[in-house]
Amino acid sequence: MTVSVVLFTSDLRVHDNPTLHAAVAGADEVVPLFVIDEAIVSAGFATPNRRAFLADCLTDLDAGLRARGGRLVVRSGDVVEQTLKVAAETGAGDVRTAGGVSRYAQRREERLRLALESDGRRLHVHDATLTALPPGAVTPAGSDHFAVFTPYFRRWSQEQLRGVLAAPRTVTVPAGVGSDPVPARADTSGISEGLAEGGESAGRKRFTAWKRGGLATYDSGHDDMAGDLTSRLSPYLHFGALSPTELVQRARRAGGTGAEAFVRQLCWRDFHHQVLAARPDASSVDYRTKHDRWRSEESAGEEIEAWKAGRTGYPVVDAAMRQLRHEGWMHNRGRLLTASFLTKTLYVDWRIGARHFLELLVDGDIANNQLNWQWMAGTGTDSRPNRVLNPVIQGKRYDPDGRYVRRWVPELGGLAGAAVHEPWKLTGRERARYDYPDPLVELAEGRDRFQRARGKD
């Protein structure tokens, strides 16, 4: 009897999972393994929202495996030590896992490879699992990665993606292999009140419903902040409960401008992963430094706390920050606005904002979170690094009736229409009716400070 271990990481699904598919096809028995990694826990990356969503994903993955005669094996500790231990217990000849792009994922893979080889076992890494196209599959002349999105998208769009794999019919797990209990959401405290349900089943239902009702208008509606017309699939992609390859293939079959716009967003995700795979230090170091002398937590502490609390005095910024705290998720346009405001209007180090987002975002992803923050800070891949988004103009454009603001900033609920975006224009007794702060800084003042710092004044 041959045995293969499938080490699940960010691919928590049974459908279109190359790692699981190859193990079932190549071995008599399979050990579906997830290790609650002590290094991720100790680093603070296992925040309440992500722990709760992960618990949902693992519970659903276990159910999906049990429906096919198998089960999920859960262990805790050092991921390499626990994987070797399971391999030794079951006599597995190989371990299969999905290829990651972060510095930690690359180190984990190398440690695992060396440990398995020294133990007479093999590691197989499946690269087209976490992204639609493997990082490094396409490169420009003279470089190991694309630094600009548009030419990457052109090349990416020309590539033939692998076929979508069916879920295995049967998963046979060796008898007697022990497991810790599968985590439950109820075991996690401090989660956001409006946190979505995790797991492959929930993700597939969400995509099916959105594909039927939202995909066709995605190109025209994804920036409508009040309309909430985005797919909200990013948490499921982050945990691998949904396959990016399958989403691209199904959207392309649907066709239309909405599907094309959605596929472009999935390509952005692949783009960031290939940048980080080539430049792992971009998670904490400027990709393209502008030699900024950012304001720190010491020098801008009160303004940073006001930004976190959604009390900046700019309603659309505050609405987005409150949505983040309530849902563990934020509308994409809100992410752009809040990041621009922190880095360019307040001139605060992008790493401070990125860290706060990672504390709350259920889809907190090193590649996408850090590189999107760098993009907005003007230290990443943006071809217009000095652009500043005006929250008043943006609010009126993407929330013209003010419904998004009134939903998340209820103290301004008495202001009708676009007037909600400029409450400071109220005077006297009318202004006193609203328990809402004045702006932290005048937009012109913030813009001038940023331009001086960048030598653009």
Side-chain angles (χ1 to χ4, degrees), residues 337-410:
L337 291 174
T338 55
S340 175
F341 186 82
L342 184 72
T343 59
K344 291 177 174 174
T345 302
L346 298 182
Y347 198 55
V348 168
D349 194 328
W350 64 267
R351 282 159 281 244
I352 294 172
R355 185 171 65 245
H356 180 68
F357 270 34
L358 284 178
E359 289 172 357
L360 290 171
L361 281 176
V362 66
D363 60 18
D365 180 291
I366 293 296
N368 292 295
N369 185 67
Q370 308 303 87
L371 291 174
N372 271 320
W373 267 96
Q374 288 221 46
W375 195 86
M376 285 312 305
T379 64
T381 62
D382 187 8
S383 59
R384 293 173 55 196
N386 299 313
R387 81 175 84 199
V388 180
L389 299 182
N390 183 308
V392 178
I393 294 174
Q394 292 274 310
K396 290 180 178 180
R397 179 178 300 162
Y398 298 114
D399 184 31
D401 297 326
R403 288 188 295 123
Y404 178 78
V405 166
R406 282 187 290 275
R407 181 185 308 160
W408 296 108
V409 189

Side-chain angles (χ1 to χ4, degrees), residues 255-279:
T257 56
E260 291 170 3
F262 178 61
V263 168
R264 185 180 178 90
Q265 291 302 311
L266 292 171
C267 181
W268 265 109
R269 183 175 179 275
D270 276 18
F271 172 74
H272 285 146
H273 277 73
Q274 61 95 38
V275 171
L276 190 65
R279 300 290 184 270

